[in-house]
Amino acid sequence: MKVETKVGASFGLALLAVLLVGSLIYGNNRALLQHNAQVVHTYQVLDGIDGIFDAAQEVESGMRGFVLTGRPEFLEVYQQSIDGLTPRLQKLRAQVKDNPAQLVRLAVLERLMLRKIALSQERVKECQTEGTAAAVKHFDGQGKATMDELRRHVADMRDIELTLLAQRMEQSAGSARRVITAYGVLLGVAVLLLGIFYVQVRNDLNDRIRIGALLEANERRFRGVMESAPDAIVLTDEAGRITLANSAFAKLFAVRSAEAQGR
């Protein structure tokens, strides 16, 4: 096989191997990006759940602060927490839209929040109309029970997301390991193909050197036989032009061998 053919075949195999391993790396990289995106998404859902519970605590603390002190700044915090609840619920609903179980829990969480807000509004209204003492007198276990139920429900939703987070982080780690393995395979294939190519080229060069040496030796022997022959000997091409003449020919025609070439 010609060295050009071997080089072409080696290049073709190398290109095929690179394409195969490259497609493997591409697929693993896509999977890694998807799993990382899912991990980030889970953290965002957890932040959304915590944000709603934080809003519930702010509503409670703002209501109690206003009822107990009558200071308007507590009422401002209280109202801001209520106003910010709807956007938070909408954002969290969009984040868990692909999880029906969490959507059901979110609906329950929203009802609990509305109940909590309704109870707190009653206390604020009592404080504004009847005074602090009347509002404090109506502090009862209903508000605490609602808050405890909210806390348990939030904890359930967090547990679900934490389980998903652990699964997705393991998937992401697995994808990262596969990407590293694929790059290692690509490096190994490249080194192997380069080694095979080097051996082939080296062997071809050695064969050419060996063949060239044999041809040179044969030519010397052939010229030695021609020069030692007592008779005139010439070699001609297809057109009859002299390509080689021995010394006997040169003496016979009184020309130098080099001058006879081409006649």
Side-chain angles (χ1 to χ4, degrees):
M1 184 184 293
K2 293 183 179 180
V3 64
E4 292 82 2
T5 304
K6 292 182 178 179
V7 171
S10 299
F11 179 78
L13 289 175
L15 180 60
L16 178 61
V18 169
L19 289 175
L20 290 175
V21 179
S23 63
L24 178 64
I25 292 175
Y26 174 75
N28 286 330
N29 276 330
R30 284 196 62 184
L32 177 60
L33 291 175
Q34 290 173 353
H35 292 147
N36 286 343
Q38 289 176 341
V39 169
V40 172
H41 175 74
T42 306
Y43 277 117
Q44 292 172 342
V45 173
L46 286 169
D47 287 341
I49 295 171
D50 291 340
I52 291 177
F53 185 69
D54 291 342
Q57 290 182 312
E58 290 169 358
V59 168
E60 178 72 12
S61 61
M63 179 271 292
R64 288 183 175 272
F66 176 73
V67 169
L68 294 174
T69 66
R71 294 168 59 181
E73 56 264 30
F74 286 105
L75 193 59
E76 291 177 4
V77 173
Y78 165 79
Q79 192 59 49
Q80 289 174 358
S81 301
I82 294 177
D83 294 340
L85 178 61
T86 298
R88 288 183 175 184
L89 287 170
Q90 291 175 345
K91 183 178 180 180
L92 184 58
R93 187 177 292 108
Q95 290 172 334
V96 300
K97 63 181 180 180
D98 58 343
N99 190 332
Q102 288 290 65
L103 281 174
V104 173
R105 290 178 173 82
L106 180 59
V108 176
L109 183 62
E110 184 174 6
R111 288 197 297 271
L112 291 172
M113 283 297 302
L114 293 177
R115 185 194 308 170
K116 181 64 182 175
I117 291 173
L119 291 172
S120 65
Q121 287 174 337
E122 290 178 5
R123 302 289 83 78
V124 169
K125 186 176 181 180
E126 286 177 348
C127 179
Q128 292 173 330
T129 57
E130 302 178 23
T132 299
V136 171
K137 184 176 63 174
H138 288 96
F139 279 163
D140 53 23
Q142 188 176 5
K144 182 179 182 302
T146 302
M147 197 66 185
D148 290 342
E149 191 174 355
L150 265 169
R151 186 178 288 106
R152 288 193 300 269
H153 203 69
V154 165
D156 289 341
M157 294 184 70
R158 280 184 56 84
D159 288 342
I160 292 174
E161 291 301 321
L162 289 173
T163 300
L164 286 174
L165 178 63
Q167 295 172 353
R168 290 169 176 174
M169 290 186 71
E170 177 58 31
Q171 291 172 342
S172 178
S175 296
R177 289 192 295 269
R178 286 190 291 273
V179 169
I180 294 173
T181 301
Y183 277 113
V185 170
L186 178 60
L187 178 61
V189 169
V191 171
L192 177 61
L193 291 174
L194 285 174
I196 293 174
F197 177 74
Y198 169 76
V199 171
Q200 287 181 344
V201 172
R202 185 190 63 183
N203 291 339
D204 287 332
L205 290 176
N206 289 338
D207 289 342
R208 290 193 174 193
I209 293 172
R210 190 162 48 251
I211 293 172
L214 289 173
L215 291 174
E216 186 178 352
N218 289 335
E219 184 178 359
R220 285 197 302 269
R221 285 194 294 269
F222 173 71
R223 287 182 178 273
V225 171
M226 282 190 64
E227 290 298 324
S228 62
D231 297 324
I233 299 176
V234 293
L235 298 179
T236 62
D237 58 17
E238 294 178 354
R241 289 185 293 269
I242 296 174
T243 58
L244 185 62
N246 65 353
S247 300
F249 177 88
K251 290 179 181 180
L252 179 62
F253 291 95
V255 294
R256 289 184 298 176
S257 299
E259 293 176 349
Q261 293 182 7
R263 296 186 181 183

